[in-house]
Amino acid sequence: PNYLRVWGAESASLFGTALTLLAFPLLAVTQLDASAFQMGLLVAAETSPFFFFSLFAGVWVDRHPRRPMLILADLVRAALLLSIPVAAWLDVLRIEHMYVVAFIVGACGVFFEIAHYAYVPSLVGRENVVEANSKLQISHSAAEAGGPGVAGLLIQFLSAPFALVLDAGSYLFSALLLRRIKTTEPPIVRQESAEQSSVLQDARDGLKMLLGHSLLRPIVLASICGSIFINAITALYTLYATRDLDIDPFVLGLIFTAGGLGAIPGALLSAPVARRFGVGPTIVCAWIVTQATWLLIPLAAGWFTIPLLAFRALLSGVLGTIYNIQQWSLRQLVTPDDLQGRVTASHRFLVYGAFPIGALLGGWLGTTLGLRPAITICALGALISPLWLVFSPLRHLREQPADAR
């Protein structure tokens, strides 16, 4: 029952975030006439907290109860997001306001994600981690399937600020579910030597565990490389779709929805595919094809533009979900309980910390070369990232490990 509440809270939060995924950039494009570089700055503001706060958040999560952090993060995000529609209705909204909100909401998201990933294994037990992650991925899928479509509909017929009101409401609902968990959180057991360690030493332990593990290191390196180029595309995608391809918000929401729909079978197929082909080969092969789908975006033209973009999102949703469940579970299973928060934080620091670099790269390339050439270059860059996996021991891994090692 406690996990179901956490799962429900995360699902509500994910649905709201999926609304914002489309509403935030469309608000900047349609009401503030943002340029390619400003879109890059907006995405950078939203993702840079992973670089600045992840390591500290990991140490904090491994030293303190996780549930209060989850509740506080939800409440702060709700309040900040409500400030955007209020400013828009008062006709005082500026792009700088959106930068600030994006940054602080992103910082709260850092603490929420790290605390959530550290909290789940203590609720379900290690033997149920893959199943728990599969359920969570279904929530990701449902949010990705429903959120952008709802957002597109709201933006098309009402307004982008109204979609952000629903996002704030989802965070409040998440906080309410978390508040209803009455069971005392299991105490965090730390080694005696760790009790006297500094924040810097604790952060270093998480990085050492992540980068020192022969199976996790190639995943991190591939993720960093892919993150840079994918976020460069993300920074330009909404601008490219609405201005160059003349796609309206509702149809764009449906295209995003295709990715969410693809993630649902991906979540159901991940475990059987990994049993059939092996965990390592599943991660490697699914990752390669997923990265290749980004090349379809600059190829979209004429009557098949929308079908091709929807197909790309659908295929990426299926395969991306398959490998994500396996690599998330692998990281949790090989990590000792007292390092869960710091290892997740180290992953966010290195991988998500690369997001703003990609966003700024996309903004610069879009301004310098134009949107389609910039997206093409970044799609080719994303295709290179899985090489870290191809030449690593990960490709020989057949099963998920039974315990931390």
Side-chain angles (χ1 to χ4, degrees), residues 86-94 97:
V86 170
W89 290 330
L90 295 175
D91 199 26
V92 294
L93 180 63
R94 295 174 56 86
H97 183 174

Side-chain angles (χ1 to χ4, degrees), residues 311-329:
F311 171 75
R312 189 219 70 81
L314 180 67
L315 184 60
S316 179
V318 173
L319 297 175
T321 302
I322 287 175
Y323 79 73
N324 266 325
I325 288 175
Q326 295 304 316
Q327 64 103 354
W328 287 347
S329 300

